[in-house]
Amino acid sequence: VGLSGDAPLCDEWVLHWYLTEWNRGPSSLYEMRGLFYFMKMEASVTMREITVYNTMTRQKEVFNPVTPGEAKMYVCGVTPYNHPHIGNARPFVTWDVIRRYMKHVGYKVTYVQNFTDVDGIFAAHPGIIHQPHSIPELTYREMRELAYAGFSVLHDEALLPAYRGKIPLVIKNTNNPDHPGTRIVLKHSSDKFPVVGIAGDSGFVSINMSKYLMNREVGFGRKILQILEDLNIGWEHMPTGIDDLSIILRSRELTPIKEEEILRQLVQKAEVDHAEIEHDLSIIMIVGEKMKSHIGVTATATRALSENKINIQMMSQGSSEVSIMFVVNKDQEKAAIKALYNAFFGESKED
């Protein structure tokens, strides 16, 4: 049916035949009907212009690539739940047909397809911890925390449809289907592991300020956040003391001009006694919904960091107790992750 090599897309009647035959196969291929009618697209087959259905706006739109004349595709490969079967061919056929169509109508196509080649989601970054163990089970909330702090296996927003639909996910290795992988669920099946993973991310700064009797001043926090909002600056965390307040944000939010303006307004509008901006910080997060039912998790973490001579700049824990965040200097990030991993999961394997 013209699916090998770089032959042009087959005629409409061939597509209809192909669709009909495949619809008689495994039920997992039912989406192919939508694909091939999509590939007909009721498209303008003029050079470099096609009309596609945008699922976000729910209407047909002219495809306008970022670079005129170039289509860039990053698509999913196979993530099996068991030994491979014919249904696993769907992602290959689906995306390859779209790629060929793009090329057929004149686009220069860059095509990237990813494959899951790890035994689930690791408890720490394998570039820092040698052969970390895979997490057998974690919740959507835990995955969200880990993704925020540097886990790039799954983007947190990509989980939203499954989370809302209360659908469990399984991450497995294409090349090792016998491994149980990692289940992402709404609720843990046991209380065995208080900490499921450790993640770290760099590229943070801290706006630190102090003012005597700050805690008695009504509206002080609002003034600070208003300054940031007026400068179109988003923030991440806000650890506080009675006379001190720090705001953690991504370094990409600031420019030298914005930094000067923040410090100026903190003195003039909020009348702080002292203000400074500290750069080159990393956040380290230990994550686990069951931490709140286990005594001594924070003590274990701080002891591990202390024994490895890692200075804690700040720490924070939300009311849900799903995670504990530590702020450290960027150059101590990897050492902190290693210390925490060894404390909660045992010594990592060495080459």
PDB file of all heavy atoms in Angstrom, residues 31-65:
ATOM      1  N   GLU A  31      -8.134   3.390  16.456  1.00  0.00           N
ATOM      2  CA  GLU A  31      -7.872   4.788  16.197  1.00  0.00           C
ATOM      3  C   GLU A  31      -7.404   5.031  14.762  1.00  0.00           C
ATOM      4  O   GLU A  31      -7.377   6.160  14.297  1.00  0.00           O
ATOM      5  CB  GLU A  31      -6.801   5.315  17.167  1.00  0.00           C
ATOM      6  CG  GLU A  31      -7.273   5.384  18.597  1.00  0.00           C
ATOM      7  CD  GLU A  31      -6.184   5.910  19.512  1.00  0.00           C
ATOM      8  OE1 GLU A  31      -5.253   6.559  19.014  1.00  0.00           O
ATOM      9  OE2 GLU A  31      -6.264   5.648  20.707  1.00  0.00           O
ATOM     10  N   MET A  32      -7.046   3.944  14.064  1.00  0.00           N
ATOM     11  CA  MET A  32      -6.530   4.136  12.715  1.00  0.00           C
ATOM     12  C   MET A  32      -7.589   4.717  11.792  1.00  0.00           C
ATOM     13  O   MET A  32      -7.275   5.381  10.819  1.00  0.00           O
ATOM     14  CB  MET A  32      -5.995   2.827  12.157  1.00  0.00           C
ATOM     15  CG  MET A  32      -4.806   2.315  12.956  1.00  0.00           C
ATOM     16  SD  MET A  32      -3.934   1.028  12.116  1.00  0.00           S
ATOM     17  CE  MET A  32      -3.100   1.966  10.846  1.00  0.00           C
ATOM     18  N   ARG A  33      -8.876   4.472  12.116  1.00  0.00           N
ATOM     19  CA  ARG A  33      -9.906   5.051  11.277  1.00  0.00           C
ATOM     20  C   ARG A  33      -9.766   6.571  11.289  1.00  0.00           C
ATOM     21  O   ARG A  33      -9.723   7.212  10.248  1.00  0.00           O
ATOM     22  CB  ARG A  33     -11.298   4.671  11.777  1.00  0.00           C
ATOM     23  CG  ARG A  33     -12.319   5.377  10.897  1.00  0.00           C
ATOM     24  CD  ARG A  33     -13.760   5.246  11.335  1.00  0.00           C
ATOM     25  NE  ARG A  33     -14.012   4.268  12.342  1.00  0.00           N
ATOM     26  CZ  ARG A  33     -15.211   3.788  12.595  1.00  0.00           C
ATOM     27  NH1 ARG A  33     -16.229   4.176  11.862  1.00  0.00           N
ATOM     28  NH2 ARG A  33     -15.416   2.937  13.555  1.00  0.00           N
ATOM     29  N   GLY A  34      -9.638   7.142  12.498  1.00  0.00           N
ATOM     30  CA  GLY A  34      -9.481   8.577  12.585  1.00  0.00           C
ATOM     31  C   GLY A  34      -8.224   9.053  11.885  1.00  0.00           C
ATOM     32  O   GLY A  34      -8.206  10.096  11.257  1.00  0.00           O
ATOM     33  N   LEU A  35      -7.162   8.236  11.978  1.00  0.00           N
ATOM     34  CA  LEU A  35      -5.910   8.613  11.333  1.00  0.00           C
ATOM     35  C   LEU A  35      -6.079   8.771   9.837  1.00  0.00           C
ATOM     36  O   LEU A  35      -5.718   9.787   9.262  1.00  0.00           O
ATOM     37  CB  LEU A  35      -4.834   7.560  11.615  1.00  0.00           C
ATOM     38  CG  LEU A  35      -3.642   7.622  10.644  1.00  0.00           C
ATOM     39  CD1 LEU A  35      -2.846   8.882  10.891  1.00  0.00           C
ATOM     40  CD2 LEU A  35      -2.779   6.389  10.778  1.00  0.00           C
ATOM     41  N   PHE A  36      -6.655   7.750   9.177  1.00  0.00           N
ATOM     42  CA  PHE A  36      -6.659   7.790   7.728  1.00  0.00           C
ATOM     43  C   PHE A  36      -7.668   8.798   7.187  1.00  0.00           C
ATOM     44  O   PHE A  36      -7.444   9.397   6.140  1.00  0.00           O
ATOM     45  CB  PHE A  36      -6.908   6.401   7.154  1.00  0.00           C
ATOM     46  CG  PHE A  36      -5.670   5.557   7.248  1.00  0.00           C
ATOM     47  CD1 PHE A  36      -5.572   4.521   8.157  1.00  0.00           C
ATOM     48  CD2 PHE A  36      -4.581   5.840   6.457  1.00  0.00           C
ATOM     49  CE1 PHE A  36      -4.430   3.773   8.252  1.00  0.00           C
ATOM     50  CE2 PHE A  36      -3.421   5.098   6.547  1.00  0.00           C
ATOM     51  CZ  PHE A  36      -3.342   4.056   7.442  1.00  0.00           C
ATOM     52  N   TYR A  37      -8.767   9.017   7.913  1.00  0.00           N
ATOM     53  CA  TYR A  37      -9.621  10.096   7.473  1.00  0.00           C
ATOM     54  C   TYR A  37      -8.926  11.431   7.723  1.00  0.00           C
ATOM     55  O   TYR A  37      -9.091  12.384   6.978  1.00  0.00           O
ATOM     56  CB  TYR A  37     -10.979  10.051   8.180  1.00  0.00           C
ATOM     57  CG  TYR A  37     -11.889   9.009   7.569  1.00  0.00           C
ATOM     58  CD1 TYR A  37     -12.371   7.947   8.321  1.00  0.00           C
ATOM     59  CD2 TYR A  37     -12.245   9.091   6.221  1.00  0.00           C
ATOM     60  CE1 TYR A  37     -13.190   6.986   7.755  1.00  0.00           C
ATOM     61  CE2 TYR A  37     -13.059   8.136   5.652  1.00  0.00           C
ATOM     62  CZ  TYR A  37     -13.529   7.083   6.417  1.00  0.00           C
ATOM     63  OH  TYR A  37     -14.329   6.138   5.853  1.00  0.00           O
ATOM     64  N   PHE A  38      -8.114  11.458   8.783  1.00  0.00           N
ATOM     65  CA  PHE A  38      -7.304  12.652   9.031  1.00  0.00           C
ATOM     66  C   PHE A  38      -6.311  12.844   7.893  1.00  0.00           C
ATOM     67  O   PHE A  38      -6.078  13.955   7.436  1.00  0.00           O
ATOM     68  CB  PHE A  38      -6.553  12.506  10.361  1.00  0.00           C
ATOM     69  CG  PHE A  38      -5.409  13.467  10.527  1.00  0.00           C
ATOM     70  CD1 PHE A  38      -5.655  14.794  10.842  1.00  0.00           C
ATOM     71  CD2 PHE A  38      -4.105  13.047  10.365  1.00  0.00           C
ATOM     72  CE1 PHE A  38      -4.608  15.673  10.993  1.00  0.00           C
ATOM     73  CE2 PHE A  38      -3.066  13.926  10.516  1.00  0.00           C
ATOM     74  CZ  PHE A  38      -3.315  15.248  10.840  1.00  0.00           C
ATOM     75  N   MET A  39      -5.727  11.728   7.408  1.00  0.00           N
ATOM     76  CA  MET A  39      -4.743  11.842   6.353  1.00  0.00           C
ATOM     77  C   MET A  39      -5.368  12.317   5.054  1.00  0.00           C
ATOM     78  O   MET A  39      -4.723  12.930   4.230  1.00  0.00           O
ATOM     79  CB  MET A  39      -4.029  10.505   6.138  1.00  0.00           C
ATOM     80  CG  MET A  39      -3.066  10.145   7.254  1.00  0.00           C
ATOM     81  SD  MET A  39      -1.993  11.501   7.712  1.00  0.00           S
ATOM     82  CE  MET A  39      -1.283  11.900   6.128  1.00  0.00           C
ATOM     83  N   LYS A  40      -6.671  12.007   4.850  1.00  0.00           N
ATOM     84  CA  LYS A  40      -7.350  12.609   3.719  1.00  0.00           C
ATOM     85  C   LYS A  40      -7.438  14.119   3.960  1.00  0.00           C
ATOM     86  O   LYS A  40      -7.269  14.917   3.062  1.00  0.00           O
ATOM     87  CB  LYS A  40      -8.756  12.022   3.567  1.00  0.00           C
ATOM     88  CG  LYS A  40      -8.763  10.610   3.011  1.00  0.00           C
ATOM     89  CD  LYS A  40     -10.118   9.945   3.135  1.00  0.00           C
ATOM     90  CE  LYS A  40     -11.212  10.791   2.593  1.00  0.00           C
ATOM     91  NZ  LYS A  40     -12.527  10.121   2.740  1.00  0.00           N
ATOM     92  N   MET A  41      -7.708  14.472   5.256  1.00  0.00           N
ATOM     93  CA  MET A  41      -7.625  15.827   5.760  1.00  0.00           C
ATOM     94  C   MET A  41      -8.549  16.831   5.088  1.00  0.00           C
ATOM     95  O   MET A  41      -8.607  17.969   5.520  1.00  0.00           O
ATOM     96  CB  MET A  41      -6.191  16.372   5.599  1.00  0.00           C
ATOM     97  CG  MET A  41      -5.204  15.759   6.522  1.00  0.00           C
ATOM     98  SD  MET A  41      -3.610  16.521   6.296  1.00  0.00           S
ATOM     99  CE  MET A  41      -2.640  15.497   7.374  1.00  0.00           C
ATOM    100  N   GLU A  42      -9.243  16.426   4.034  1.00  0.00           N
ATOM    101  CA  GLU A  42      -9.939  17.398   3.217  1.00  0.00           C
ATOM    102  C   GLU A  42      -8.977  18.545   2.979  1.00  0.00           C
ATOM    103  O   GLU A  42      -9.256  19.718   3.164  1.00  0.00           O
ATOM    104  CB  GLU A  42     -11.217  17.882   3.907  1.00  0.00           C
ATOM    105  CG  GLU A  42     -12.201  16.745   4.159  1.00  0.00           C
ATOM    106  CD  GLU A  42     -13.458  17.225   4.850  1.00  0.00           C
ATOM    107  OE1 GLU A  42     -13.620  18.445   5.018  1.00  0.00           O
ATOM    108  OE2 GLU A  42     -14.279  16.377   5.198  1.00  0.00           O
ATOM    109  N   ALA A  43      -7.729  18.161   2.609  1.00  0.00           N
ATOM    110  CA  ALA A  43      -6.609  19.083   2.650  1.00  0.00           C
ATOM    111  C   ALA A  43      -6.460  19.876   1.371  1.00  0.00           C
ATOM    112  O   ALA A  43      -6.862  19.465   0.307  1.00  0.00           O
ATOM    113  CB  ALA A  43      -5.322  18.306   2.904  1.00  0.00           C
ATOM    114  N   SER A  44      -5.836  21.014   1.550  1.00  0.00           N
ATOM    115  CA  SER A  44      -5.355  21.743   0.407  1.00  0.00           C
ATOM    116  C   SER A  44      -4.015  21.116   0.065  1.00  0.00           C
ATOM    117  O   SER A  44      -3.066  21.260   0.814  1.00  0.00           O
ATOM    118  CB  SER A  44      -5.152  23.212   0.770  1.00  0.00           C
ATOM    119  OG  SER A  44      -6.276  23.704   1.438  1.00  0.00           O
ATOM    120  N   VAL A  45      -3.929  20.386  -1.034  1.00  0.00           N
ATOM    121  CA  VAL A  45      -2.707  19.668  -1.339  1.00  0.00           C
ATOM    122  C   VAL A  45      -1.791  20.559  -2.166  1.00  0.00           C
ATOM    123  O   VAL A  45      -1.006  20.071  -2.954  1.00  0.00           O
ATOM    124  CB  VAL A  45      -3.019  18.349  -2.072  1.00  0.00           C
ATOM    125  CG1 VAL A  45      -1.808  17.437  -2.078  1.00  0.00           C
ATOM    126  CG2 VAL A  45      -4.182  17.645  -1.414  1.00  0.00           C
ATOM    127  N   THR A  46      -1.942  21.878  -1.990  1.00  0.00           N
ATOM    128  CA  THR A  46      -1.038  22.783  -2.667  1.00  0.00           C
ATOM    129  C   THR A  46       0.305  22.737  -1.966  1.00  0.00           C
ATOM    130  O   THR A  46       0.407  22.332  -0.811  1.00  0.00           O
ATOM    131  CB  THR A  46      -1.592  24.217  -2.624  1.00  0.00           C
ATOM    132  OG1 THR A  46      -1.825  24.580  -1.263  1.00  0.00           O
ATOM    133  CG2 THR A  46      -2.891  24.304  -3.409  1.00  0.00           C
ATOM    134  N   MET A  47       1.353  23.148  -2.669  1.00  0.00           N
ATOM    135  CA  MET A  47       2.702  23.078  -2.127  1.00  0.00           C
ATOM    136  C   MET A  47       2.790  23.822  -0.803  1.00  0.00           C
ATOM    137  O   MET A  47       2.351  24.965  -0.685  1.00  0.00           O
ATOM    138  CB  MET A  47       3.681  23.695  -3.133  1.00  0.00           C
ATOM    139  CG  MET A  47       5.128  23.680  -2.658  1.00  0.00           C
ATOM    140  SD  MET A  47       5.770  22.013  -2.458  1.00  0.00           S
ATOM    141  CE  MET A  47       5.900  21.485  -4.150  1.00  0.00           C
ATOM    142  N   ARG A  48       3.299  23.121   0.208  1.00  0.00           N
ATOM    143  CA  ARG A  48       3.613  23.692   1.512  1.00  0.00           C
ATOM    144  C   ARG A  48       2.389  24.214   2.268  1.00  0.00           C
ATOM    145  O   ARG A  48       2.489  25.080   3.101  1.00  0.00           O
ATOM    146  CB  ARG A  48       4.647  24.808   1.386  1.00  0.00           C
ATOM    147  CG  ARG A  48       5.961  24.345   0.797  1.00  0.00           C
ATOM    148  CD  ARG A  48       6.955  25.475   0.746  1.00  0.00           C
ATOM    149  NE  ARG A  48       8.187  25.064   0.120  1.00  0.00           N
ATOM    150  CZ  ARG A  48       9.201  24.473   0.756  1.00  0.00           C
ATOM    151  NH1 ARG A  48       9.094  24.241   2.040  1.00  0.00           N
ATOM    152  NH2 ARG A  48      10.280  24.123   0.113  1.00  0.00           N
ATOM    153  N   GLU A  49       1.206  23.708   1.974  1.00  0.00           N
ATOM    154  CA  GLU A  49       0.044  24.121   2.768  1.00  0.00           C
ATOM    155  C   GLU A  49      -0.927  22.964   2.919  1.00  0.00           C
ATOM    156  O   GLU A  49      -1.373  22.386   1.936  1.00  0.00           O
ATOM    157  CB  GLU A  49      -0.674  25.297   2.114  1.00  0.00           C
ATOM    158  CG  GLU A  49      -1.862  25.789   2.939  1.00  0.00           C
ATOM    159  CD  GLU A  49      -2.532  27.000   2.337  1.00  0.00           C
ATOM    160  OE1 GLU A  49      -1.847  28.036   2.209  1.00  0.00           O
ATOM    161  OE2 GLU A  49      -3.730  26.898   1.984  1.00  0.00           O
ATOM    162  N   ILE A  50      -1.225  22.605   4.144  1.00  0.00           N
ATOM    163  CA  ILE A  50      -2.227  21.592   4.426  1.00  0.00           C
ATOM    164  C   ILE A  50      -3.126  22.114   5.540  1.00  0.00           C
ATOM    165  O   ILE A  50      -2.738  22.993   6.314  1.00  0.00           O
ATOM    166  CB  ILE A  50      -1.607  20.248   4.854  1.00  0.00           C
ATOM    167  CG1 ILE A  50      -0.755  20.421   6.109  1.00  0.00           C
ATOM    168  CG2 ILE A  50      -0.809  19.618   3.734  1.00  0.00           C
ATOM    169  CD1 ILE A  50      -0.213  19.122   6.638  1.00  0.00           C
ATOM    170  N   THR A  51      -4.329  21.588   5.574  1.00  0.00           N
ATOM    171  CA  THR A  51      -5.273  21.968   6.619  1.00  0.00           C
ATOM    172  C   THR A  51      -5.477  20.779   7.547  1.00  0.00           C
ATOM    173  O   THR A  51      -5.738  19.669   7.081  1.00  0.00           O
ATOM    174  CB  THR A  51      -6.626  22.371   5.998  1.00  0.00           C
ATOM    175  OG1 THR A  51      -6.407  23.445   5.091  1.00  0.00           O
ATOM    176  CG2 THR A  51      -7.603  22.820   7.077  1.00  0.00           C
ATOM    177  N   VAL A  52      -5.298  20.999   8.851  1.00  0.00           N
ATOM    178  CA  VAL A  52      -5.421  19.922   9.828  1.00  0.00           C
ATOM    179  C   VAL A  52      -6.421  20.318  10.905  1.00  0.00           C
ATOM    180  O   VAL A  52      -6.756  21.493  11.068  1.00  0.00           O
ATOM    181  CB  VAL A  52      -4.061  19.584  10.480  1.00  0.00           C
ATOM    182  CG1 VAL A  52      -3.076  19.094   9.444  1.00  0.00           C
ATOM    183  CG2 VAL A  52      -3.509  20.791  11.215  1.00  0.00           C
ATOM    184  N   TYR A  53      -6.883  19.315  11.621  1.00  0.00           N
ATOM    185  CA  TYR A  53      -7.806  19.551  12.730  1.00  0.00           C
ATOM    186  C   TYR A  53      -7.004  19.740  14.012  1.00  0.00           C
ATOM    187  O   TYR A  53      -6.240  18.865  14.427  1.00  0.00           O
ATOM    188  CB  TYR A  53      -8.760  18.371  12.880  1.00  0.00           C
ATOM    189  CG  TYR A  53      -9.784  18.561  13.992  1.00  0.00           C
ATOM    190  CD1 TYR A  53     -10.904  19.367  13.795  1.00  0.00           C
ATOM    191  CD2 TYR A  53      -9.616  17.950  15.224  1.00  0.00           C
ATOM    192  CE1 TYR A  53     -11.834  19.553  14.803  1.00  0.00           C
ATOM    193  CE2 TYR A  53     -10.540  18.124  16.236  1.00  0.00           C
ATOM    194  CZ  TYR A  53     -11.651  18.934  16.025  1.00  0.00           C
ATOM    195  OH  TYR A  53     -12.569  19.110  17.026  1.00  0.00           O
ATOM    196  N   ASN A  54      -7.153  20.901  14.643  1.00  0.00           N
ATOM    197  CA  ASN A  54      -6.467  21.219  15.886  1.00  0.00           C
ATOM    198  C   ASN A  54      -7.347  20.783  17.052  1.00  0.00           C
ATOM    199  O   ASN A  54      -8.429  21.330  17.267  1.00  0.00           O
ATOM    200  CB  ASN A  54      -6.195  22.730  15.953  1.00  0.00           C
ATOM    201  CG  ASN A  54      -5.343  23.106  17.155  1.00  0.00           C
ATOM    202  OD1 ASN A  54      -5.349  22.434  18.182  1.00  0.00           O
ATOM    203  ND2 ASN A  54      -4.607  24.197  17.022  1.00  0.00           N
ATOM    204  N   THR A  55      -6.893  19.781  17.810  1.00  0.00           N
ATOM    205  CA  THR A  55      -7.718  19.249  18.898  1.00  0.00           C
ATOM    206  C   THR A  55      -7.850  20.234  20.056  1.00  0.00           C
ATOM    207  O   THR A  55      -8.736  20.098  20.895  1.00  0.00           O
ATOM    208  CB  THR A  55      -7.133  17.935  19.431  1.00  0.00           C
ATOM    209  OG1 THR A  55      -5.774  18.157  19.842  1.00  0.00           O
ATOM    210  CG2 THR A  55      -7.153  16.854  18.357  1.00  0.00           C
ATOM    211  N   MET A  56      -6.956  21.225  20.126  1.00  0.00           N
ATOM    212  CA  MET A  56      -7.057  22.205  21.202  1.00  0.00           C
ATOM    213  C   MET A  56      -8.135  23.250  20.901  1.00  0.00           C
ATOM    214  O   MET A  56      -8.958  23.579  21.758  1.00  0.00           O
ATOM    215  CB  MET A  56      -5.707  22.897  21.430  1.00  0.00           C
ATOM    216  CG  MET A  56      -5.702  23.899  22.566  1.00  0.00           C
ATOM    217  SD  MET A  56      -4.061  24.571  22.917  1.00  0.00           S
ATOM    218  CE  MET A  56      -3.273  23.105  23.598  1.00  0.00           C
ATOM    219  N   THR A  57      -8.114  23.768  19.664  1.00  0.00           N
ATOM    220  CA  THR A  57      -9.110  24.773  19.301  1.00  0.00           C
ATOM    221  C   THR A  57     -10.385  24.150  18.743  1.00  0.00           C
ATOM    222  O   THR A  57     -11.389  24.827  18.566  1.00  0.00           O
ATOM    223  CB  THR A  57      -8.536  25.734  18.250  1.00  0.00           C
ATOM    224  OG1 THR A  57      -8.194  24.996  17.069  1.00  0.00           O
ATOM    225  CG2 THR A  57      -7.301  26.438  18.780  1.00  0.00           C
ATOM    226  N   ARG A  58     -10.322  22.834  18.430  1.00  0.00           N
ATOM    227  CA  ARG A  58     -11.456  22.090  17.895  1.00  0.00           C
ATOM    228  C   ARG A  58     -11.963  22.674  16.577  1.00  0.00           C
ATOM    229  O   ARG A  58     -13.159  22.818  16.351  1.00  0.00           O
ATOM    230  CB  ARG A  58     -12.585  22.014  18.926  1.00  0.00           C
ATOM    231  CG  ARG A  58     -12.176  21.264  20.184  1.00  0.00           C
ATOM    232  CD  ARG A  58     -13.344  21.053  21.126  1.00  0.00           C
ATOM    233  NE  ARG A  58     -12.923  20.270  22.288  1.00  0.00           N
ATOM    234  CZ  ARG A  58     -13.731  19.888  23.260  1.00  0.00           C
ATOM    235  NH1 ARG A  58     -15.023  20.195  23.214  1.00  0.00           N
ATOM    236  NH2 ARG A  58     -13.277  19.188  24.282  1.00  0.00           N
ATOM    237  N   GLN A  59     -11.025  23.001  15.722  1.00  0.00           N
ATOM    238  CA  GLN A  59     -11.387  23.477  14.400  1.00  0.00           C
ATOM    239  C   GLN A  59     -10.242  23.219  13.421  1.00  0.00           C
ATOM    240  O   GLN A  59      -9.109  22.977  13.839  1.00  0.00           O
ATOM    241  CB  GLN A  59     -11.697  24.977  14.432  1.00  0.00           C
ATOM    242  CG  GLN A  59     -10.527  25.846  14.891  1.00  0.00           C
ATOM    243  CD  GLN A  59     -10.914  27.310  15.004  1.00  0.00           C
ATOM    244  OE1 GLN A  59     -12.068  27.668  14.810  1.00  0.00           O
ATOM    245  NE2 GLN A  59      -9.965  28.160  15.311  1.00  0.00           N
ATOM    246  N   LYS A  60     -10.584  23.241  12.135  1.00  0.00           N
ATOM    247  CA  LYS A  60      -9.568  23.038  11.113  1.00  0.00           C
ATOM    248  C   LYS A  60      -8.768  24.313  10.932  1.00  0.00           C
ATOM    249  O   LYS A  60      -9.321  25.408  10.902  1.00  0.00           O
ATOM    250  CB  LYS A  60     -10.212  22.637   9.788  1.00  0.00           C
ATOM    251  CG  LYS A  60     -10.902  21.280   9.825  1.00  0.00           C
ATOM    252  CD  LYS A  60     -11.548  20.965   8.490  1.00  0.00           C
ATOM    253  CE  LYS A  60     -12.265  19.618   8.539  1.00  0.00           C
ATOM    254  NZ  LYS A  60     -12.926  19.318   7.247  1.00  0.00           N
ATOM    255  N   GLU A  61      -7.434  24.136  10.831  1.00  0.00           N
ATOM    256  CA  GLU A  61      -6.560  25.285  10.691  1.00  0.00           C
ATOM    257  C   GLU A  61      -5.481  24.983   9.667  1.00  0.00           C
ATOM    258  O   GLU A  61      -5.077  23.824   9.494  1.00  0.00           O
ATOM    259  CB  GLU A  61      -5.903  25.644  12.033  1.00  0.00           C
ATOM    260  CG  GLU A  61      -6.880  25.992  13.135  1.00  0.00           C
ATOM    261  CD  GLU A  61      -6.178  26.239  14.470  1.00  0.00           C
ATOM    262  OE1 GLU A  61      -4.923  26.140  14.497  1.00  0.00           O
ATOM    263  OE2 GLU A  61      -6.873  26.520  15.457  1.00  0.00           O
ATOM    264  N   VAL A  62      -4.978  26.012   9.029  1.00  0.00           N
ATOM    265  CA  VAL A  62      -3.846  25.848   8.117  1.00  0.00           C
ATOM    266  C   VAL A  62      -2.604  25.586   8.955  1.00  0.00           C
ATOM    267  O   VAL A  62      -2.344  26.283   9.934  1.00  0.00           O
ATOM    268  CB  VAL A  62      -3.655  27.099   7.236  1.00  0.00           C
ATOM    269  CG1 VAL A  62      -2.389  26.977   6.391  1.00  0.00           C
ATOM    270  CG2 VAL A  62      -4.865  27.295   6.336  1.00  0.00           C
ATOM    271  N   PHE A  63      -1.870  24.556   8.597  1.00  0.00           N
ATOM    272  CA  PHE A  63      -0.653  24.210   9.315  1.00  0.00           C
ATOM    273  C   PHE A  63       0.434  25.224   8.983  1.00  0.00           C
ATOM    274  O   PHE A  63       0.871  25.349   7.844  1.00  0.00           O
ATOM    275  CB  PHE A  63      -0.208  22.801   8.912  1.00  0.00           C
ATOM    276  CG  PHE A  63       1.135  22.412   9.487  1.00  0.00           C
ATOM    277  CD1 PHE A  63       1.326  22.289  10.843  1.00  0.00           C
ATOM    278  CD2 PHE A  63       2.222  22.171   8.642  1.00  0.00           C
ATOM    279  CE1 PHE A  63       2.555  21.932  11.373  1.00  0.00           C
ATOM    280  CE2 PHE A  63       3.454  21.808   9.156  1.00  0.00           C
ATOM    281  CZ  PHE A  63       3.615  21.694  10.528  1.00  0.00           C
ATOM    282  N   ASN A  64       0.858  25.982  10.007  1.00  0.00           N
ATOM    283  CA  ASN A  64       1.898  26.999   9.840  1.00  0.00           C
ATOM    284  C   ASN A  64       3.094  26.638  10.706  1.00  0.00           C
ATOM    285  O   ASN A  64       3.099  26.905  11.915  1.00  0.00           O
ATOM    286  CB  ASN A  64       1.372  28.385  10.238  1.00  0.00           C
ATOM    287  CG  ASN A  64       0.313  28.896   9.286  1.00  0.00           C
ATOM    288  OD1 ASN A  64       0.507  28.851   8.074  1.00  0.00           O
ATOM    289  ND2 ASN A  64      -0.784  29.386   9.826  1.00  0.00           N
ATOM    290  N   PRO A  65       4.117  26.002  10.132  1.00  0.00           N
ATOM    291  CA  PRO A  65       5.286  25.606  10.930  1.00  0.00           C
ATOM    292  C   PRO A  65       6.091  26.811  11.396  1.00  0.00           C
ATOM    293  O   PRO A  65       5.979  27.908  10.822  1.00  0.00           O
ATOM    294  CB  PRO A  65       6.090  24.739   9.956  1.00  0.00           C
ATOM    295  CG  PRO A  65       5.703  25.234   8.608  1.00  0.00           C
ATOM    296  CD  PRO A  65       4.263  25.631   8.715  1.00  0.00           C
TER     297      PRO A  65
END
